[in-house]
Amino acid sequence: YNTQFEHEVEAFEAKCEELLKKYEGMFVAFYKGEVIDFDDDKTALFQRVLDKYGHDTPIYFQQVLKEGIPIYGIPGIDID
């Protein structure tokens, strides 16, 4: 499962330039190296995709941004 999910993340990153042209600012659901759905409302997208594919499918959800993947700091946790 984790390996498949990691492949989805890598595929998303590899296609980032292409995705920006079509989905900039949108949230996408990425599975098997392709966008399977998108929406500007992440909650609606998440619910729709989970209803269709279930909770066991390794789908990568991400907002498509020029700045890349946002990294959030969590107080009390250091990542080296």
Side-chain angles (χ1 to χ4, degrees):
Y1 175 82
N2 283 342
T3 302
Q4 181 61 40
F5 184 78
E6 289 168 6
H7 287 298
E8 299 303 339
V9 174
E10 290 171 6
F12 175 89
E13 291 172 352
K15 291 188 172 186
C16 209
E17 289 294 320
E18 177 185 329
L19 295 172
L20 275 169
K21 293 175 187 171
K22 192 170 182 180
Y23 303 106
E24 185 175 356
M26 304 289 283
F27 293 91
V28 297
F30 212 73
Y31 180 55
K32 294 187 177 178
E34 300 295 329
V35 173
I36 56 170
D37 202 350
F38 63 95
D39 204 310
D40 58 352
D41 180 338
K42 66 181 175 182
T43 304
L45 172 66
F46 191 73
Q47 190 61 55
R48 196 168 55 239
V49 170
L50 289 182
D51 287 348
K52 184 173 183 179
Y53 291 89
H55 291 266
D56 295 328
T57 306
I59 296 170
Y60 180 54
F61 294 87
Q62 183 60 53
Q63 188 174 19
V64 181
L65 301 169
K66 282 183 183 175
E67 298 81 29
I69 299 170
I71 298 173
Y72 301 99
I74 302 171
I77 297 177
D78 292 324
I79 300 173
D80 294 321

